[in-house]
Amino acid sequence: MTSPAAAKPAILSVDDDPGVSRAVVRDLRRRYGADYRILRAESGADALEALREMKLRGQPVAVLIADYRMPGMNGVEFLEQAMDLHPWARRVLLTAYADTNAAIEAINVVDLDHYLLKPWDPPEEKLYPVIDALLEAWRGDEHKPVTETKVVGHRWSARCSEVREFLARNQLPYRWYQVDEPEGARLLTAANATEDQCPVIINSTGDVLIMPTDAQLAEGVGLNTDASSDFYDLIVVGGGPAGLGAAVYGASEGLRTVLVERTATGGQAGQSSRIENYLGFPDGVSGAQLADRARRQAVKFGAELITAREVVALEACGAARVVKFADGGSVAAHSVLIATGVNYRHHPAPGVDEYTGRGVYYGSAMTEASDCAEKDVYIVGGANSAGQAAVFLSRRAATVHILVRGESLESSMSHYLIQQIEQIPNIKVHTRTEVTAADGDDHLERIVLRNNETGAEEKVDAERLFLFIGAAPETDWLDGMVKRDEAGYVLAGPDLMVDGEKPAGWELPRPPQHLETSVPGVFVAGDVRSESAKRVASAVGEGAMAVMLVHRWLAKQ
């Protein structure tokens, strides 16, 4: 009953009499078997289980035919429950002559489309014309099946927001359903889940994930979460532009390369709505498009990508460099590239933590863009990422307010973006301004703005607050292993030399190479490197350069 001809809509017959059941299916297959899956069940319970599976898999059901007199659950009771799963399926009740009154009453209970008297011989006169009409009516309705991943949850749930962002950033198509929508409720019923167990994720094969971790979610939707080998030539930690650049060049040059990413490839750049100053894209390219192309390019050359694995430690074990994961696993290689990039700084205003994921978002959170239509949106930050988000959101929002503490955008934003912003009438820049509080009920509803020049505060209505407030490296996992500067950025090459002296503990006769850290064979590239340029192009270039230095390192091993 769960055979995989998913492309065909189903016609399901339910009858507890095996002889009648086989006769129904025989007649239906003769006429409709080429275009429809003809299924049968011998009890209402079995039929409902089949319908649940089809609901989860996104398989359409065209017609339900149920016998009225069945023990345990009669035909009317079955059709009533089936409506909750497949409301667009046409419903037919099989009755004997003595049960016609019950069938007529059922029209009001389950919105019955037709009832058929048994026996119906010949089917060409009594069965097929009825089913033909029902199928024609069913095909005329809008009930396209949803075969991609489905996410069911609460509108203002922080975890639901994280799940949607995870799927979007990993370029995985999904459909979002709120629990208070009819289809969301039907999916929860099919999954045997409740509103308190959201988010509920149903993948394309119908498997149900209830409140999954990122690792469980990644595995459930088909992402690779485990290394296929114990040892590589190069481990790249971080899937931003620098890491992707290294994966492409490393794999294309024959290195056994594995890239480990905690959330999704692309890093902060992958969340940019449009990058217009990247070489070779005169019309601009979104960060997601750039990251997706780079990821596919790396895979084409043979790089292995691991997602949803958090790196917590780095060790040098003789000639091997070992990367350890939060779940206790590990992977080793001849060399390691640290390309973990940076994260947005935590905003200290009261209420921001409480409403993060429920109206407050770090970064662009493009899954929220469609809900910004005709609303006032507030963006905190004056760098390129904030400007790109403002331009993108201005297409739908009533007004986009950019809040910066400085006197202007000129010290932190590219000139081309400043010019664009000046030409968009619904973007307003508020200088010397910061957010001092956020509040609401189940989601963000208001923020407090302070003018740092006058000291005046103003409370404004706001359902969306996007934070782009500088960057901080998450490099605590390198404590005691790799030298960093006071801000936590990784030191490399010449920056490790003090008065011409090699760093403490460096035992090789040569000094560290340009992108090499204080541990030989461990390199760094991109935004996480101390004094880096903090641009996409430079990060990609450093990733490529690091591979050249890895080759030099391997040649001497």
Side-chain angles (χ1 to χ4, degrees):
M1 289 182 42
T2 56
S3 137
K8 293 182 179 180
I11 299 175
L12 173 63
S13 171
V14 191
D15 198 308
D16 66 307
D17 185 329
V20 174
S21 181
R22 285 193 293 269
V24 173
V25 168
R26 179 200 62 214
D27 289 343
L28 291 174
R29 282 185 178 149
R30 186 186 306 160
R31 175 89 165 199
Y32 307 105
D35 299 314
Y36 294 86
R37 298 172 62 206
I38 310 302
L39 308 175
R40 73 185 182 96
E42 294 185 1
S43 73
D46 288 346
L48 287 174
E49 183 59 30
L51 291 176
R52 287 190 187 96
E53 290 184 14
M54 287 187 279
K55 183 68 177 181
L56 295 175
R57 294 181 182 182
Q59 297 172 351
V61 178
V63 177
L64 298 169
I65 304 173
D67 184 62
Y68 174 65
R69 288 185 178 271
M70 292 189 295
M73 180 187 301
N74 66 36
V76 175
E77 293 168 337
F78 161 73
L79 291 174
E80 191 171 11
Q81 293 187 47
M83 285 174 62
D84 294 335
L85 295 167
H86 296 273
W88 295 284
R90 300 296 163 167
R91 294 170 288 278
V92 178
L93 194 66
L94 298 181
T95 69
Y97 181 79
D99 297 322
T100 53
N101 288 336
I104 293 171
E105 290 177 5
I107 292 175
N108 296 322
V109 176
V110 296
D111 194 19
L112 196 66
D113 293 292
H114 205 90
Y115 67 90
L116 286 171
L117 292 175
K118 299 185 294 184
W120 53 68
D121 287 335
E124 288 77 10
E125 294 181 12
K126 298 185 177 180
L127 175 65
Y128 296 154
V130 171
I131 303 299
D132 285 347
L134 294 178
L135 289 174
E136 183 178 359
W138 178 82
R139 288 191 295 266
D141 288 343
E142 284 292 331
H143 46 67
K144 294 180 180 178
V146 177
T147 56
E148 63 261 34
T149 295
K150 308 169 190 69
V151 180
V152 186
H154 299 275
R155 176 67 193 90
W156 297 111
S157 160
R159 181 55 185 159
C160 290
S161 176
E162 291 171 356
V163 165
R164 295 169 63 196
E165 195 72 8
F166 180 92
L167 294 171
R169 291 185 59 190
N170 279 288
Q171 302 289 306
L172 296 169
Y174 73 92
R175 188 75 65 87
W176 162 246
Y177 300 92
Q178 295 184 47
V179 294
D180 55 359
E181 295 176 350
E183 186 65 4
R186 284 190 283 268
L187 287 168
L188 286 182
T189 298
N192 289 319
T194 66
E195 293 185 13
D196 295 336
Q197 294 175 301
C198 289
V200 172
I201 294 86
I202 304 158
N203 68 16
S204 58
T205 61
D207 297 324
V208 177
L209 307 172
I210 296 178
M211 301 175 68
T213 63
D214 281 356
Q216 292 168 336
L217 176 61
E219 186 175 359
V221 296
L223 295 175
N224 184 31
T225 59
D226 293 303
S228 63
S229 174
D230 294 328
F231 200 87
Y232 295 83
D233 293 320
L234 172 62
I235 300 171
V236 180
V237 184
L244 287 168
V248 168
Y249 283 96
S252 67
E253 294 177 13
L255 297 181
R256 291 171 297 162
T257 303
V258 60
L259 183 151
V260 182
E261 169 54 48
R262 182 174 61 181
T263 304
T265 53
Q268 282 192 350
Q271 295 179 278
S272 296
S273 56
R274 197 156 197 82
I275 303 169
E276 297 193 54
N277 60 350
Y278 188 72
L279 185 67
F281 291 88
D283 297 322
V285 60
S286 76
Q289 289 174 323
L290 189 63
D292 181 56
R293 292 177 183 182
R295 178 190 58 78
R296 288 188 283 114
Q297 195 172 14
V299 171
K300 181 188 78 170
F301 285 124
E304 190 174 332
L305 270 60
I306 298 174
T307 306
R309 296 296 291 274
E310 183 176 3
V311 175
V312 295
L314 172 67
E315 292 182 358
C317 300
R321 303 293 178 257
V322 181
V323 167
K324 295 196 169 183
F325 301 131
D327 61 5
S330 65
V331 64
H334 290 297
S335 60
V336 171
L337 175 66
I338 301 167
T340 49
V342 293
N343 288 320
Y344 293 111
R345 296 186 193 276
H346 170 78
H347 198 293
V352 167
D353 284 349
E354 181 182 352
Y355 295 106
T356 297
R358 298 190 292 137
V360 176
Y361 306 95
Y362 285 89
S364 54
M366 287 304 162
T367 54
E368 299 297 322
S370 61
D371 289 326
C372 293
E374 303 304 319
K375 293 183 173 67
D376 286 346
V377 174
Y378 289 82
I379 292 176
V380 178
N384 279 6
S385 53
Q388 290 160 354
V391 171
F392 177 76
L393 293 171
S394 69
R395 300 171 189 170
R396 292 192 175 190
T399 306
V400 177
H401 300 269
I402 300 178
L403 313 176
V404 292
R405 291 188 295 180
E407 295 182 0
S408 71
L409 296 173
E410 294 178 1
S411 63
S412 56
M413 189 177 292
S414 295
H415 180 64
Y416 82 91
L417 262 178
I418 295 175
Q419 287 184 311
Q420 284 187 26
I421 288 169
E422 289 174 347
Q423 295 170 5
I424 299 175
N426 65 330
I427 297 182
K428 300 186 183 301
V429 179
H430 304 263
T431 59
R432 303 185 183 91
T433 302
E434 62 181 300
V435 175
T436 60
D439 64 39
D441 290 326
D442 63 336
H443 66 281
L444 178 71
E445 294 177 299
R446 294 166 293 277
I447 59 175
V448 177
L449 305 180
R450 182 175 66 203
N451 185 311
N452 289 333
E453 186 175 20
T454 65
E457 290 193 340
E458 176 188 10
K459 182 176 286 189
V460 297
D461 292 336
E463 285 193 354
R464 297 294 187 287
L465 176 65
F466 298 94
L467 304 174
F468 300 83
I469 49 175
E474 290 191 357
T475 55
D476 290 346
W477 61 282
L478 297 169
D479 276 351
M481 189 67 186
V482 173
K483 292 188 181 300
R484 299 170 291 155
D485 64 18
E486 292 181 357
Y489 291 92
V490 177
L491 295 166
D495 292 334
L496 287 166
M497 307 293 286
V498 180
D499 297 329
E501 296 293 325
K502 290 179 286 190
W506 185 270
E507 298 178 353
L508 299 180
R510 64 168 178 82
Q513 300 184 77
H514 179 61
L515 297 176
E516 195 169 22
T517 70
S518 58
V519 178
V522 176
F523 301 85
V524 62
D527 290 1
V528 73
R529 184 178 66 83
S530 180
E531 303 297 328
S532 63
K534 307 295 188 292
R535 286 291 185 266
V536 175
S538 62
V540 173
E542 287 188 7
M545 183 187 299
V547 170
M548 178 188 71
L549 301 178
V550 167
H551 275 293
R552 290 183 187 174
W553 165 254
L554 294 177
K556 296 179 180 180
Q557 296 306 298

